[in-house]
Amino acid sequence: MDSSQILLDAALVFGSTRSPEHLVKRVLEQLVFLFGAERALFALFDNQGHIEHAETHNLAWAGPGTPLPVSNHTLEEVLHHGRMRRVIDALEDVELSQRKSVLLHALRFILAMPVHAGDRVVGVLYVDSRAPMPEEAERQTEIMRGLATLVGLAVENARLLEEQRLRAELLAHIVHDIRSPLMVIASNTGWL
């Protein structure tokens, strides 16, 4: 399947997702499927850099309030500097080949991509594998970049829908609270 068809299919999946929590799960499913990733994660972050929502595949994560189970250096680079991190063969990379996580999991291919929504990085897409992917690296990067763009739009849409829902709910409460006293006044006026 070519890259444009993959991205079109992903756009249809993400476009039909209404909540950030559900979106995170759908995105992770797509990452694992598209990249054949042995390990993967997708995390959304708030304005202070705290994890809002995250899903992992074959990664042990204790949940909110605990760090994500991938390289902090990689997350820092992607989340705070907005730069993609791609390693085609971590065991041949001078900087990474001695890192505990790379050695422990025998990682070869690592791809982490920032997810932008508006003017800030709101999330990180991450996949890794024990198999080096030199001939697939460019295609995988292109697909991940496209996915990150689609996910950023879907996150923005989900947040706007949630904001719209909350406004409608608030308006309904205000109308209800105003209607009750007006009904009392109207009935008392009729009685008088």
Side-chain angles (χ1 to χ4, degrees):
M1 188 182 299
D2 72 356
S3 300
S4 58
Q5 185 61 47
I6 289 170
L7 294 175
L8 178 60
D9 292 347
L12 293 172
V13 169
F14 302 156
S16 66
T17 306
R18 300 285 182 235
S19 73
E21 299 88 6
H22 193 231
L23 178 65
V24 170
K25 291 177 184 176
R26 300 293 300 267
V27 169
L28 184 70
E29 291 168 1
Q30 288 292 312
L31 279 176
V32 171
F33 173 73
L34 292 174
F35 292 92
E38 293 175 45
R39 301 180 336 149
L41 77 78
F42 174 45
L44 290 175
F45 298 86
D46 64 15
N47 291 336
Q48 290 76 36
H50 300 111
I51 301 167
E52 272 186 351
H53 307 287
E55 285 288 325
T56 63
H57 172 73
N58 288 337
L59 288 163
W61 181 50
T66 63
L68 291 169
V70 295
S71 165
N72 290 331
H73 179 75
T74 298
L75 285 178
E76 173 80 18
E77 188 172 336
V78 175
L79 185 61
H80 297 295
H81 301 294
R83 290 189 301 252
M84 168 195 77
R85 177 73 163 141
R86 179 181 74 183
V87 178
I88 295 172
D89 193 342
L91 294 177
E92 292 183 7
D93 187 288
V94 175
E95 178 190 344
L96 295 177
S97 64
Q98 301 307 310
R99 294 232 171 127
K100 189 167 80 173
S101 62
V102 170
L103 295 171
L104 178 66
H105 300 290
L107 298 180
R108 303 292 293 271
F109 180 73
I110 300 169
L111 182 57
M113 187 73 65
V115 174
H116 296 271
D119 60 348
R120 72 180 190 91
V121 176
V122 296
V124 174
L125 298 172
Y126 174 92
V127 295
D128 66 31
S129 175
R130 291 183 180 120
M133 299 186 183
E135 53 287 324
E136 285 288 311
E138 284 305 317
R139 182 172 182 272
Q140 299 286 38
T141 303
E142 174 190 322
I143 291 170
M144 182 75 96
R145 190 173 282 121
L147 280 175
T149 301
L150 292 172
V151 170
L153 292 171
V155 166
E156 213 166 313
N157 287 341
R159 287 183 174 164
L160 288 172
L161 286 169
E162 180 67 14
E163 186 178 303
Q164 183 180 10
R165 185 191 66 75
L166 290 173
R167 285 183 181 171
E169 198 174 285
L170 177 63
L171 183 60
H173 286 305
I174 290 171
V175 167
H176 178 269
D177 290 348
I178 290 173
R179 185 179 296 149
S180 295
L182 288 176
M183 299 290 271
V184 169
I185 291 169
S187 73
N188 286 341
T189 304
W191 182 76
L192 288 174

